[in-house]
mmCIF file of all heavy atoms in Angstrom:
data_model
loop_
_atom_site.group_PDB
_atom_site.id
_atom_site.type_symbol
_atom_site.label_atom_id
_atom_site.label_comp_id
_atom_site.label_asym_id
_atom_site.label_seq_id
_atom_site.Cartn_x
_atom_site.Cartn_y
_atom_site.Cartn_z
ATOM 1 N N PRO A 594 39.338 -48.932 -22.438
ATOM 2 C CA PRO A 594 40.187 -48.629 -21.279
ATOM 3 C C PRO A 594 40.229 -49.814 -20.309
ATOM 4 O O PRO A 594 39.196 -50.394 -19.963
ATOM 5 C CB PRO A 594 39.499 -47.416 -20.658
ATOM 6 C CG PRO A 594 38.730 -46.800 -21.775
ATOM 7 C CD PRO A 594 38.284 -47.930 -22.636
ATOM 8 N N GLU A 595 41.444 -50.155 -19.869
ATOM 9 C CA GLU A 595 41.626 -51.335 -19.026
ATOM 10 C C GLU A 595 42.758 -51.080 -18.052
ATOM 11 O O GLU A 595 43.766 -50.446 -18.389
ATOM 12 C CB GLU A 595 41.915 -52.551 -19.901
ATOM 13 C CG GLU A 595 41.980 -53.872 -19.178
ATOM 14 C CD GLU A 595 42.177 -55.036 -20.134
ATOM 15 O OE1 GLU A 595 41.170 -55.567 -20.630
ATOM 16 O OE2 GLU A 595 43.346 -55.380 -20.401
ATOM 17 N N LEU A 596 42.622 -51.598 -16.818
ATOM 18 C CA LEU A 596 43.657 -51.464 -15.795
ATOM 19 C C LEU A 596 43.840 -52.818 -15.121
ATOM 20 O O LEU A 596 42.875 -53.417 -14.640
ATOM 21 C CB LEU A 596 43.256 -50.412 -14.756
ATOM 22 C CG LEU A 596 44.242 -50.216 -13.595
ATOM 23 C CD1 LEU A 596 45.573 -49.640 -14.120
ATOM 24 C CD2 LEU A 596 43.650 -49.304 -12.529
ATOM 25 N N LYS A 597 45.095 -53.309 -15.099
ATOM 26 C CA LYS A 597 45.433 -54.573 -14.451
ATOM 27 C C LYS A 597 46.439 -54.311 -13.337
ATOM 28 O O LYS A 597 47.385 -53.539 -13.520
ATOM 29 C CB LYS A 597 46.023 -55.559 -15.458
ATOM 30 C CG LYS A 597 45.046 -56.033 -16.528
ATOM 31 C CD LYS A 597 45.700 -57.074 -17.432
ATOM 32 C CE LYS A 597 44.726 -57.580 -18.494
ATOM 33 N NZ LYS A 597 45.337 -58.614 -19.374
ATOM 34 N N PHE A 598 46.240 -54.977 -12.189
ATOM 35 C CA PHE A 598 47.171 -54.814 -11.062
ATOM 36 C C PHE A 598 46.958 -55.960 -10.080
ATOM 37 O O PHE A 598 45.934 -56.659 -10.115
ATOM 38 C CB PHE A 598 46.959 -53.464 -10.369
ATOM 39 C CG PHE A 598 45.596 -53.271 -9.781
ATOM 40 C CD1 PHE A 598 45.345 -53.559 -8.442
ATOM 41 C CD2 PHE A 598 44.542 -52.821 -10.560
ATOM 42 C CE1 PHE A 598 44.089 -53.387 -7.905
ATOM 43 C CE2 PHE A 598 43.282 -52.649 -10.031
ATOM 44 C CZ PHE A 598 43.050 -52.930 -8.695
ATOM 45 N N LYS A 599 47.946 -56.157 -9.209
ATOM 46 C CA LYS A 599 47.837 -57.162 -8.158
ATOM 47 C C LYS A 599 47.244 -56.496 -6.918
ATOM 48 O O LYS A 599 47.740 -55.473 -6.457
ATOM 49 C CB LYS A 599 49.206 -57.750 -7.831
ATOM 50 C CG LYS A 599 49.157 -58.818 -6.731
ATOM 51 C CD LYS A 599 50.528 -59.299 -6.354
ATOM 52 C CE LYS A 599 51.093 -60.178 -7.475
ATOM 53 N NZ LYS A 599 52.396 -60.801 -7.048
ATOM 54 N N LEU A 600 46.159 -57.095 -6.394
ATOM 55 C CA LEU A 600 45.487 -56.539 -5.226
ATOM 56 C C LEU A 600 46.293 -56.856 -3.966
ATOM 57 O O LEU A 600 46.672 -58.002 -3.728
ATOM 58 C CB LEU A 600 44.066 -57.100 -5.100
ATOM 59 C CG LEU A 600 43.221 -56.534 -3.950
ATOM 60 C CD1 LEU A 600 42.978 -55.045 -4.148
ATOM 61 C CD2 LEU A 600 41.890 -57.269 -3.848
ATOM 62 N N GLU A 601 46.565 -55.811 -3.195
ATOM 63 C CA GLU A 601 47.275 -55.945 -1.930
ATOM 64 C C GLU A 601 46.522 -55.169 -0.858
ATOM 65 O O GLU A 601 45.689 -54.304 -1.177
ATOM 66 C CB GLU A 601 48.709 -55.424 -2.073
ATOM 67 C CG GLU A 601 49.532 -56.183 -3.112
ATOM 68 C CD GLU A 601 50.937 -55.613 -3.245
ATOM 69 O OE1 GLU A 601 51.231 -54.610 -2.545
ATOM 70 O OE2 GLU A 601 51.720 -56.150 -4.041
ATOM 71 N N PRO A 602 46.778 -55.447 0.421
ATOM 72 C CA PRO A 602 46.081 -54.691 1.483
ATOM 73 C C PRO A 602 46.272 -53.188 1.376
ATOM 74 O O PRO A 602 45.427 -52.414 1.808
ATOM 75 C CB PRO A 602 46.703 -55.254 2.772
ATOM 76 C CG PRO A 602 47.152 -56.632 2.405
ATOM 77 C CD PRO A 602 47.595 -56.548 0.982
ATOM 78 N N THR A 603 47.356 -52.753 0.719
ATOM 79 C CA THR A 603 47.633 -51.320 0.650
ATOM 80 C C THR A 603 46.956 -50.630 -0.532
ATOM 81 O O THR A 603 46.940 -49.391 -0.592
ATOM 82 C CB THR A 603 49.151 -51.089 0.548
ATOM 83 O OG1 THR A 603 49.649 -51.804 -0.594
ATOM 84 C CG2 THR A 603 49.845 -51.565 1.814
ATOM 85 N N ASN A 604 46.483 -51.403 -1.514
ATOM 86 C CA ASN A 604 45.876 -50.737 -2.683
ATOM 87 C C ASN A 604 44.390 -51.049 -2.828
ATOM 88 O O ASN A 604 43.832 -50.928 -3.913
ATOM 89 C CB ASN A 604 46.643 -51.065 -3.970
ATOM 90 C CG ASN A 604 46.622 -52.563 -4.291
ATOM 91 O OD1 ASN A 604 45.939 -53.335 -3.627
ATOM 92 N ND2 ASN A 604 47.404 -52.961 -5.301
ATOM 93 N N ASN A 605 43.737 -51.512 -1.750
ATOM 94 C CA ASN A 605 42.278 -51.561 -1.747
ATOM 95 C C ASN A 605 41.740 -50.137 -1.823
ATOM 96 O O ASN A 605 42.353 -49.199 -1.312
ATOM 97 C CB ASN A 605 41.757 -52.223 -0.474
ATOM 98 C CG ASN A 605 41.888 -53.741 -0.490
ATOM 99 O OD1 ASN A 605 40.958 -54.431 -0.165
ATOM 100 N ND2 ASN A 605 43.060 -54.264 -0.878
ATOM 101 N N GLY A 606 40.590 -49.941 -2.437
ATOM 102 C CA GLY A 606 40.016 -48.601 -2.445
ATOM 103 C C GLY A 606 39.102 -48.372 -3.638
ATOM 104 O O GLY A 606 38.634 -49.298 -4.296
ATOM 105 N N THR A 607 38.881 -47.091 -3.943
ATOM 106 C CA THR A 607 37.991 -46.685 -5.028
ATOM 107 C C THR A 607 38.819 -46.331 -6.253
ATOM 108 O O THR A 607 39.695 -45.452 -6.193
ATOM 109 C CB THR A 607 37.142 -45.482 -4.606
ATOM 110 O OG1 THR A 607 36.354 -45.834 -3.466
ATOM 111 C CG2 THR A 607 36.216 -45.052 -5.734
ATOM 112 N N TYR A 608 38.540 -47.008 -7.362
ATOM 113 C CA TYR A 608 39.229 -46.751 -8.624
ATOM 114 C C TYR A 608 38.264 -46.062 -9.575
ATOM 115 O O TYR A 608 37.079 -46.412 -9.649
ATOM 116 C CB TYR A 608 39.739 -48.059 -9.239
ATOM 117 C CG TYR A 608 40.938 -48.638 -8.526
ATOM 118 C CD1 TYR A 608 40.798 -49.266 -7.294
ATOM 119 C CD2 TYR A 608 42.215 -48.545 -9.071
ATOM 120 C CE1 TYR A 608 41.888 -49.795 -6.624
ATOM 121 C CE2 TYR A 608 43.324 -49.078 -8.417
ATOM 122 C CZ TYR A 608 43.152 -49.694 -7.192
ATOM 123 O OH TYR A 608 44.243 -50.208 -6.535
ATOM 124 N N GLU A 609 38.798 -45.075 -10.302
ATOM 125 C CA GLU A 609 37.985 -44.304 -11.237
ATOM 126 C C GLU A 609 38.688 -44.212 -12.577
ATOM 127 O O GLU A 609 39.886 -43.901 -12.642
ATOM 128 C CB GLU A 609 37.736 -42.897 -10.689
ATOM 129 C CG GLU A 609 36.905 -42.017 -11.623
ATOM 130 C CD GLU A 609 36.757 -40.592 -11.093
ATOM 131 O OE1 GLU A 609 37.391 -40.278 -10.073
ATOM 132 O OE2 GLU A 609 36.027 -39.808 -11.726
ATOM 133 N N CYS A 610 37.922 -44.488 -13.646
ATOM 134 C CA CYS A 610 38.425 -44.307 -15.008
ATOM 135 C C CYS A 610 37.698 -43.124 -15.620
ATOM 136 O O CYS A 610 36.477 -43.174 -15.793
ATOM 137 C CB CYS A 610 38.205 -45.571 -15.831
ATOM 138 S SG CYS A 610 38.709 -45.409 -17.568
ATOM 139 N N ARG A 611 38.424 -42.061 -15.948
ATOM 140 C CA ARG A 611 37.848 -40.859 -16.536
ATOM 141 C C ARG A 611 38.135 -40.850 -18.035
ATOM 142 O O ARG A 611 39.295 -40.851 -18.459
ATOM 143 C CB ARG A 611 38.403 -39.598 -15.890
ATOM 144 C CG ARG A 611 38.109 -39.496 -14.400
ATOM 145 C CD ARG A 611 38.715 -38.239 -13.802
ATOM 146 N NE ARG A 611 38.538 -38.202 -12.349
ATOM 147 C CZ ARG A 611 39.086 -37.281 -11.549
ATOM 148 N NH1 ARG A 611 39.819 -36.295 -12.095
ATOM 149 N NH2 ARG A 611 38.893 -37.348 -10.241
ATOM 150 N N VAL A 612 37.038 -40.822 -18.824
ATOM 151 C CA VAL A 612 37.146 -40.830 -20.284
ATOM 152 C C VAL A 612 36.563 -39.520 -20.799
ATOM 153 O O VAL A 612 35.438 -39.156 -20.445
ATOM 154 C CB VAL A 612 36.400 -42.034 -20.891
ATOM 155 C CG1 VAL A 612 36.573 -42.063 -22.396
ATOM 156 C CG2 VAL A 612 36.887 -43.340 -20.265
ATOM 157 N N SER A 613 37.306 -38.817 -21.671
ATOM 158 C CA SER A 613 36.911 -37.474 -22.105
ATOM 159 C C SER A 613 36.839 -37.391 -23.614
ATOM 160 O O SER A 613 37.596 -38.049 -24.344
ATOM 161 C CB SER A 613 37.916 -36.429 -21.591
ATOM 162 O OG SER A 613 38.035 -36.485 -20.188
ATOM 163 N N ASN A 614 35.889 -36.565 -24.075
ATOM 164 C CA ASN A 614 35.890 -36.063 -25.453
ATOM 165 C C ASN A 614 35.720 -34.555 -25.364
ATOM 166 O O ASN A 614 35.759 -33.978 -24.267
ATOM 167 C CB ASN A 614 34.807 -36.740 -26.300
ATOM 168 C CG ASN A 614 33.405 -36.450 -25.791
ATOM 169 O OD1 ASN A 614 33.210 -35.684 -24.842
ATOM 170 N ND2 ASN A 614 32.418 -37.071 -26.418
ATOM 171 N N THR A 615 35.526 -33.895 -26.491
ATOM 172 C CA THR A 615 35.442 -32.430 -26.445
ATOM 173 C C THR A 615 34.180 -31.932 -25.743
ATOM 174 O O THR A 615 34.093 -30.766 -25.385
ATOM 175 C CB THR A 615 35.471 -31.871 -27.881
ATOM 176 O OG1 THR A 615 34.415 -32.462 -28.652
ATOM 177 C CG2 THR A 615 36.815 -32.160 -28.550
ATOM 178 N N ALA A 616 33.191 -32.830 -25.543
ATOM 179 C CA ALA A 616 31.941 -32.418 -24.896
ATOM 180 C C ALA A 616 32.001 -32.549 -23.387
ATOM 181 O O ALA A 616 31.167 -31.978 -22.681
ATOM 182 C CB ALA A 616 30.766 -33.235 -25.441
ATOM 183 N N GLY A 617 32.944 -33.333 -22.871
ATOM 184 C CA GLY A 617 33.020 -33.474 -21.424
ATOM 185 C C GLY A 617 33.666 -34.778 -21.028
ATOM 186 O O GLY A 617 34.242 -35.502 -21.837
ATOM 187 N N THR A 618 33.545 -35.082 -19.731
ATOM 188 C CA THR A 618 34.211 -36.254 -19.144
ATOM 189 C C THR A 618 33.199 -37.097 -18.393
ATOM 190 O O THR A 618 32.323 -36.575 -17.698
ATOM 191 C CB THR A 618 35.326 -35.811 -18.179
ATOM 192 O OG1 THR A 618 36.264 -35.008 -18.882
ATOM 193 C CG2 THR A 618 36.034 -37.014 -17.568
ATOM 194 N N SER A 619 33.315 -38.417 -18.538
ATOM 195 C CA SER A 619 32.491 -39.371 -17.786
ATOM 196 C C SER A 619 33.399 -40.338 -17.053
ATOM 197 O O SER A 619 34.596 -40.448 -17.361
ATOM 198 C CB SER A 619 31.548 -40.133 -18.719
ATOM 199 O OG SER A 619 30.698 -39.244 -19.413
ATOM 200 N N SER A 620 32.831 -41.053 -16.074
ATOM 201 C CA SER A 620 33.649 -41.923 -15.237
ATOM 202 C C SER A 620 33.013 -43.285 -15.041
ATOM 203 O O SER A 620 31.790 -43.403 -14.956
ATOM 204 C CB SER A 620 33.884 -41.286 -13.862
ATOM 205 O OG SER A 620 34.604 -40.085 -13.960
ATOM 206 N N CYS A 621 33.873 -44.310 -14.962
ATOM 207 C CA CYS A 621 33.518 -45.619 -14.424
ATOM 208 C C CYS A 621 34.106 -45.696 -13.013
ATOM 209 O O CYS A 621 35.292 -45.370 -12.817
ATOM 210 C CB CYS A 621 34.105 -46.748 -15.267
ATOM 211 S SG CYS A 621 33.377 -46.957 -16.904
ATOM 212 N N MET A 622 33.276 -46.123 -12.049
ATOM 213 C CA MET A 622 33.736 -46.225 -10.668
ATOM 214 C C MET A 622 33.786 -47.688 -10.268
ATOM 215 O O MET A 622 32.869 -48.465 -10.549
ATOM 216 C CB MET A 622 32.804 -45.458 -9.732
ATOM 217 C CG MET A 622 32.643 -43.983 -10.060
ATOM 218 S SD MET A 622 34.164 -43.023 -9.847
ATOM 219 C CE MET A 622 34.384 -43.148 -8.083
ATOM 220 N N PHE A 623 34.860 -48.065 -9.577
ATOM 221 C CA PHE A 623 35.046 -49.434 -9.107
ATOM 222 C C PHE A 623 35.414 -49.397 -7.628
ATOM 223 O O PHE A 623 36.358 -48.676 -7.240
ATOM 224 C CB PHE A 623 36.156 -50.147 -9.879
ATOM 225 C CG PHE A 623 35.939 -50.186 -11.366
ATOM 226 C CD1 PHE A 623 36.395 -49.161 -12.185
ATOM 227 C CD2 PHE A 623 35.290 -51.263 -11.953
ATOM 228 C CE1 PHE A 623 36.209 -49.197 -13.552
ATOM 229 C CE2 PHE A 623 35.100 -51.304 -13.331
ATOM 230 C CZ PHE A 623 35.559 -50.274 -14.132
ATOM 231 N N ASN A 624 34.705 -50.132 -6.821
ATOM 232 C CA ASN A 624 35.076 -50.304 -5.423
ATOM 233 C C ASN A 624 35.805 -51.640 -5.317
ATOM 234 O O ASN A 624 35.178 -52.703 -5.393
ATOM 235 C CB ASN A 624 33.842 -50.287 -4.517
ATOM 236 C CG ASN A 624 34.192 -50.449 -3.062
ATOM 237 O OD1 ASN A 624 35.210 -49.938 -2.605
ATOM 238 N ND2 ASN A 624 33.371 -51.189 -2.331
#
Side-chain angles (χ1 to χ4, degrees):
E595 186 176 272
L596 178 66
K597 293 183 179 181
F598 61 95
K599 180 185 288 187
L600 183 64
E601 299 179 358
T603 56
N604 62 7
N605 283 227
T607 300
Y608 286 75
E609 179 184 6
C610 177
R611 299 179 185 173
V612 182
S613 303
N614 63 4
T615 56
T618 302
S619 301
S620 297
C621 290
M622 302 294 294
F623 303 89
N624 181 37

